[in-house]
Amino acid sequence: MGLGNLYRRRIRVFTMAVVVYLDYKGVQQREKWVSKSKQTALWEKAHERNAKRILKLIIEMEGLWVKLGQYMSTRADVLPAAYINNLKQLQDSLPPRPLEEVYGTIQKELGKSMDELFSDFVNEPLATASIAQVHRATLLNGQEVVVKVQHDGIKTVILEDLKNAKAIVDWIAWAEPQYNFNPMIDEWCKEAPKELDFNLEAENTRTVAKNLGCRNLHDGNSNPNRVDVLIPDVIQATEKILVLEYMDGIRLNDLESLQAYGVNKQKIVEEITRAYAHQIYVDGFFNGDPHPGNFLVSKESPHRPVLLDFGLTKKLSSTIKQALAKMFLSSVEGDHVALLSAFSEMGLKLRLDIPEQAMEVTAIFFRATTPARESIESLKSLEDQRTKNMKVIQEKMNLDKKEMKRFNPVDAFPGDIVIFGRVLNLLRGLSATMGVHIVYMDIMRPFAESVLSGRGPSVNDRWIFDSPVHSGVEAKLRQLLIELANIDKILGIQVCAYKDGEVIIDTAAGVLGKYDPRPVKPDSLFPVFSVTKGITAGMVHWLVDNGKLNLEENVANIWPSFRSSGKEVIKVHHVLNHTSGLHNAMAGTSQENPFLMLDWDECLNQICISVPETEPGKVQMYHYLSFGWLCGGIIEHASGKKFQEILEESIVRPLQIEGELYIGIPPGVESRLAALTVDTDDLSKITATSSRSELPSTFQPQQIAQMATTLPPLFNTLNVRRAIIPAANGHLSARALARYYAALADGGKIPPPHSSSSKPILGSHPHIPKLTSKKAPKKRKCLGRGVATLPAINRSYEKVSSKEESEVTEGRSNIIDSSSSDDVGSSNVESSNPRTHVPGKVYRNPRIIDEFLGTGEYENLTLSNGGFGLGFKRFSSKDGSTIAFGHSGMGGSTGFCDVTNRFSIAVTLNKMSFGGVTGKIVQLVCSELNIPVPDDFLRYAADHTGDANPGRPMIN
């Protein structure tokens, strides 16, 4: 093709674009002068007129533009009917090439005359498409075949058109950066030339047929992911000729014939969708061109889809295949964390933190199809959503209109998913054209799940993270974990234990989630629910230890707005001992609106207006939800600081566990988050459990079972994970939690540095959250009885800029060291506190253990024989004596310490059970160390099934 022809093609394309544009602008002007009843007809005529113009141009230009027209012809969910009706001619009926050209190509490629090849050759083509045309023929041996013959000179045309398209896209990206389609055109330029070699198409056809098992449909294989489709056999192939088995079928766009043969259109399109789900998610090798012209329906009953034309076929790496499966399943589940990690794995990078908008956009890919007649409403809804999302982005980035116009939220777009997106759009258009309703989430889910299944130790020799074994008990523990995983009781887990201040166990195993096959590592972050209460309680004790709080002080003196409805007599120790009488506070409100938990100020307000159900100090009832907000309000009002600041100051920095213990995660740690799922066997057992008198009326087994079902999808969303929920939203590693309890077991003494053999080293994460507040809070005088108010505070983490993060990291050694907890507070606090600081300790009180347990001189602050001390669950031995304290959480995660034996252990897991797995682990470790097993864990059976006694599941 000479330069003259090249320029003429460009001029024709741009001229047509201008003509169509000006035509529609003219219709917009004329619309203002006609009645509403005539406006529809005006637009329909314009659509018909311009559709014919574009069809004429495409037929004249051929090449790449035919492919574009074929794609447009399938989008009945997007384009007006006039375009669909005109452009669908491109699917299989372009003007045929001269027979002389066809014969010449066949004879040149196959090296024989027509008579030497065929006993019969039908001159009229079955179909003529952009690259080739197909003729029916009979071989000399009598076999019926079709012969696909490439158009002469089409290779040059296609390659030149790709250059033209690339030039246009480059210009658009320069002029309108938010419409940068370069990743799409780059992928197209890479893949489209492959269609020009029919040897590749022949191999692709054989591969897909083998993957789908098309010749062995009735061999007794009952695999639910089998697909019932046909693919013709390859007889012979060269670069420009492809000879295939002839299959007599009905074109998908021949709706009248489909009806006449009694074809179930719904079933056909569903089976085609299943075939593509298998190709994409199971095989990682799929046909990238599913327009209606590439399908037939067999005439014989049962009618089955026939898949044709495998020229444009995409091969996916194992990583991309898994990422696409994870993207699909996370969008179905609403799991922001898995979605963002899927983006990261496939190389999709966003310029800003917009998880909710990313979820909405992804869900659009997999939404159920819309019939063509409803397409206008569907498009309007999508456009409204896009406008909303762009507004959110504009506000987040603080951009003006001009800047917003040039802003592209996508930083990097992987070419591997371009063809994937095209396939989904073509399938959507196919459904709209056929007038059927396809629910992608139902059809594709089993195939996507199969990609991420089989991650247990029996098939994964790296199921246990590669870290050194610290002791003989750890070796035995790892064997137990493998046994429990092989019976599907473990998905992902961490176990860490200290004995006499030294790490004796530090094991991570399994995967981060049901739909996240990445391995659990020592620094993975697990949501632990009520385990968080033990940390929040430790923060309250730290304020007491630093003279900013008194256990016998009335909460209303610290928190003035708390003083109402009989709560003025509630003391700090009542809150810690679960005897404030507010055990059901917030239960009704949170059930009506679970997202209320995300609003810190409103939750504190709900606590302030709540009414005690029992006299404070008289009845101990587990404050399953209210405990955190009660403690959180006390912490902020007593300290004059934000909750997260006290967490960092009192626990995280002294223990050197930065980056591995959060209550409400900051941006930047999403890649380390484990996702929750439920052990359905355990769930079925708890529903039959009888009521428990020591639990609040709103936290009985039936309610617990319901919570266990609803909590995983709720707490897998990023907006919930980022909220400060001090009773239930801890995200931490087992090694951070075990270190915390190792310090508590030793009276607050900070253990030696964690094992350096653990990778990454504990506390080595450079991410330090930047906390922001609207204005500096007022300081509250030590132990004063006057009114202290805390100004409104924005309870959220902000993403630290690279410069700020660098400055924070460089200055990290100057922030605080493990022995500087006495730096908190003013000098008058120091002088009013008789305790002297002990270097290397979190707490100064020499009787801090008694304070935690509510024993000794603190015994009068707790109920005798109560299950709780001051903020911690008392764990008793078989003979009834108190031997340990800590806190477990719904789902099985736990952390506790045995003071007598200087022992601490933490278990974090993401497959929520009701204590069976945790009980087995604690039994094994304690037994091996000759330490008494706490009764809470001793009640589990001696076998390795991990089954809990349904009469008393471990839930707190």
Side-chain angles (χ1 to χ4, degrees), residues 21-39:
Y21 172 76
L22 292 177
D23 190 344
Y24 279 120
K25 292 300 287 186
V27 171
Q28 282 182 334
Q29 295 302 317
R30 290 197 299 277
E31 184 183 35
K32 300 175 183 177
W33 305 100
V34 299
S35 63
K36 286 189 176 180
S37 61
K38 295 182 179 179
Q39 287 177 1

Side-chain angles (χ1 to χ4, degrees), residues 906-940:
V907 179
T908 57
L909 42 79
N910 57 358
K911 186 166 190 176
M912 295 174 61
S913 61
F914 293 96
V917 169
T918 309
K920 293 304 303 173
I921 291 169
V922 172
Q923 283 184 66
L924 172 70
V925 175
C926 290
S927 299
E928 289 292 321
L929 297 174
N930 293 316
I931 293 173
V933 181
D935 186 51
D936 274 48
F937 306 98
L938 190 61
R939 63 178 178 267
Y940 298 101

Side-chain angles (χ1 to χ4, degrees), residues 389-701:
N389 289 342
M390 295 307 286
K391 199 168 184 181
V392 169
I393 292 172
Q394 185 173 3
E395 289 172 358
K396 272 203 169 197
M397 298 295 292
N398 196 23
L399 302 173
D400 59 33
K401 286 185 179 180
K402 186 176 180 182
E403 290 171 324
M404 191 61 205
K405 189 178 178 183
R406 297 187 64 82
F407 179 75
N408 188 345
V410 179
D411 187 39
F413 192 91
D416 279 326
I417 65 172
V418 170
I419 306 297
F420 170 76
R422 180 176 187 269
V423 165
L424 290 183
N425 282 332
L426 282 167
L427 289 174
R428 182 173 301 284
L430 179 64
S431 302
T433 301
M434 301 286 285
V436 298
H437 183 73
I438 299 297
V439 183
Y440 287 120
M441 291 182 179
D442 291 345
I443 295 175
M444 291 187 165
R445 185 169 191 153
F447 297 94
E449 286 180 335
S450 70
V451 178
L452 304 179
S453 63
R455 303 287 166 189
S458 60
V459 295
N460 182 2
D461 57 3
R462 295 189 177 182
W463 185 79
I464 291 181
F465 186 78
D466 185 18
S467 59
V469 177
H470 296 78
S471 62
V473 65
E474 183 169 23
K476 292 183 178 180
L477 170 71
R478 292 186 177 188
Q479 185 57 44
L480 172 64
L481 296 183
I482 290 172
E483 291 171 9
L484 290 171
N486 282 333
I487 57 172
D488 201 27
K489 302 304 291 185
I490 293 176
L491 182 64
I493 195 167
Q494 296 170 324
V495 183
C496 184
Y498 279 73
K499 180 73 172 70
D500 299 323
E502 305 254 345
V503 176
I504 60 167
I505 296 172
D506 189 9
T507 289
V511 294
L512 287 176
K514 184 179 179 182
Y515 302 133
D516 192 344
R518 291 176 299 154
V520 172
K521 298 180 180 179
D523 65 332
S524 299
L525 300 173
F526 282 72
V528 293
F529 292 109
S530 288
V531 170
T532 314
K533 291 183 176 72
I535 298 162
T536 301
M539 295 163 65
V540 174
H541 286 287
W542 185 83
L543 290 174
V544 172
D545 200 62
N546 279 276
K548 296 198 171 193
L549 192 58
N550 190 315
L551 291 171
E552 297 190 67
E553 190 168 7
N554 289 337
V555 174
N557 290 345
I558 307 162
W559 184 0
S561 54
F562 185 80
R563 189 192 305 273
S564 68
S565 306
K567 297 197 298 299
E568 58 275 359
V569 297
I570 295 176
K571 298 182 183 298
V572 173
H573 67 80
H574 292 146
V575 171
L576 289 173
N577 192 229
H578 295 265
T579 56
S580 76
L582 298 172
H583 39 276
N584 284 319
M586 295 183 64
T589 311
S590 62
Q591 287 170 9
E592 291 172 12
N593 178 17
F595 290 102
L596 174 73
M597 292 187 299
L598 313 190
D599 188 333
W600 173 276
D601 291 324
E602 181 54 32
C603 286
L604 293 190
N605 179 58
Q606 290 290 323
I607 289 292
C608 288
I609 64 175
S610 61
V611 180
E613 295 178 52
T614 57
E615 183 182 346
K618 299 297 182 183
V619 179
Q620 188 174 83
M621 283 276 188
Y622 181 45
H623 288 40
Y624 66 100
L625 187 58
S626 55
F627 181 88
W629 303 115
L630 284 162
C631 290
I634 292 170
I635 288 167
E636 289 207 341
H637 285 83
S639 68
K641 294 184 178 182
K642 293 175 66 174
F643 182 88
Q644 303 102 307
E645 290 179 287
I646 297 300
L647 175 62
E648 292 278 319
E649 200 170 355
S650 63
I651 295 173
V652 173
R653 290 200 294 264
L655 291 175
Q656 299 174 329
I657 52 176
E658 288 93 335
E660 293 192 33
L661 193 153
Y662 298 104
I663 299 179
I665 61 164
V669 302
E670 293 84 359
S671 64
R672 293 191 284 127
L673 295 179
L676 294 166
T677 189
V678 177
D679 187 323
T680 52
D681 290 339
D682 266 19
L683 184 63
S684 64
K685 289 171 186 172
I686 198 172
T687 55
T689 304
S690 57
S691 298
R692 289 174 54 179
S693 59
E694 80 278 13
L695 294 178
S697 59
T698 56
F699 197 62
Q700 290 297 319

